[in-house]
Amino acid sequence: MLRYNVRGENIEVTQAIREYVEKKVGKIEKYFNDVPEANAHVNLKTYSDKTAKVEVTVPLPYVVLRAEETSPDLYGSVDLVVDKLERQMRKYKTKINRKNRRSQGVDAPQPVDSDLWADLNIEGDEEELSASIVRTKRLSLKPMDAEEAVLQMDMLGHNFFIFEDADTNGTSIVYKRKDGKYGLIETD
């Protein structure tokens, strides 16, 4: 059962808006066999140029669903975000099913390329890299394998993802290379 935390910035969250958000975001529950106890964090923002941004984050035990959309209509933004979340769930279920088939010997796993540093997909020059730290995030790393970490990274729309490797119990990083493939950094 999803619990909803709906916040508004520059907008009052009326009962009608809250009910619409809960009804629409609740559509993702159909992708679960057992609907987990989770909080859906929904942030609604309106801007002076008459656009509305909707951000939804649903942290689950095995995956974090996150999407955001901006459009001229708040309700339209909600619909677009829900479409993204549904695509993420379908993609996640497909990859899990593929992983299960692979573990049963149907597909052979692909080796991970370890040519790390030259192919990091990070843009910017050295001057920008020496800039002061403007934001700090604290993470709780969840045990998973590299394939799950890549899935998580893609679903979040990031170009790297830090995780605890379930096999080695060490901290690892997967990243997207410039050629579109993935790399893995393992710590000792």
Side-chain angles (χ1 to χ4, degrees):
M1 173 87 180
L2 289 176
R3 292 181 301 275
Y4 298 90
N5 177 12
V6 183
R7 294 183 335 134
E9 292 183 28
N10 300 328
I11 185 173
E12 180 184 344
V13 180
T14 64
Q15 188 62 29
I17 292 172
R18 180 177 301 281
E19 287 173 0
Y20 187 81
V21 167
E22 290 179 7
K23 176 184 169 194
K24 290 296 186 171
V25 175
K27 287 175 140 186
I28 66 170
E29 290 184 10
K30 69 183 178 187
Y31 293 98
F32 302 106
N33 293 334
D34 297 317
V35 179
E37 290 290 322
N39 291 317
H41 303 281
V42 182
N43 195 17
L44 311 171
K45 298 179 186 178
T46 57
Y47 297 104
S48 58
D49 65 354
K50 305 293 185 216
T51 58
K53 180 177 184 179
V54 176
E55 302 171 347
V56 177
T57 306
V58 183
L60 299 170
Y62 43 87
V63 69
V64 175
L65 300 175
R66 185 179 185 294
E68 65 180 59
E69 275 296 333
T70 304
S71 77
D73 175 39
L74 176 68
Y75 292 97
S77 294
V78 171
D79 293 341
L80 293 170
V81 161
V82 170
D83 290 344
K84 274 188 176 180
L85 292 171
E86 287 185 312
R87 278 194 307 274
Q88 288 178 11
M89 283 304 300
R90 283 192 300 271
K91 184 177 180 180
Y92 178 75
K93 285 198 130 187
T94 299
K95 287 202 175 192
I96 292 300
N97 289 338
R98 205 176 284 149
K99 181 181 175 186
N100 288 340
R101 284 194 315 264
R102 194 177 294 154
S103 67
Q104 295 169 359
V106 175
D107 295 321
Q110 298 296 316
V112 177
D113 187 358
S114 61
D115 183 18
L116 303 176
W117 301 106
D119 297 312
L120 276 174
N121 191 16
I122 298 174
E123 298 174 4
D125 56 22
E126 290 179 28
E127 207 170 289
E128 288 178 13
L129 294 177
S130 66
S132 63
I133 296 172
V134 295
R135 186 172 178 185
T136 300
K137 287 189 175 186
R138 301 198 64 69
L139 304 172
S140 61
L141 303 179
K142 296 180 182 175
M144 61 181 73
D145 62 19
E147 191 171 309
E148 290 176 68
V150 168
L151 173 65
Q152 188 78 261
M153 175 183 67
D154 286 343
M155 290 178 69
L156 292 171
H158 294 167
N159 58 2
F160 71 94
F161 188 79
I162 304 167
F163 65 101
E164 180 182 331
D165 191 312
D167 297 330
T168 66
N169 293 331
T171 302
S172 297
I173 302 168
V174 291
Y175 63 95
K176 191 164 195 159
R177 298 165 28 119
K178 290 179 184 176
D179 64 4
K181 295 180 182 175
Y182 299 98
L184 174 68
I185 300 172
E186 296 177 320
T187 58
D188 292 330

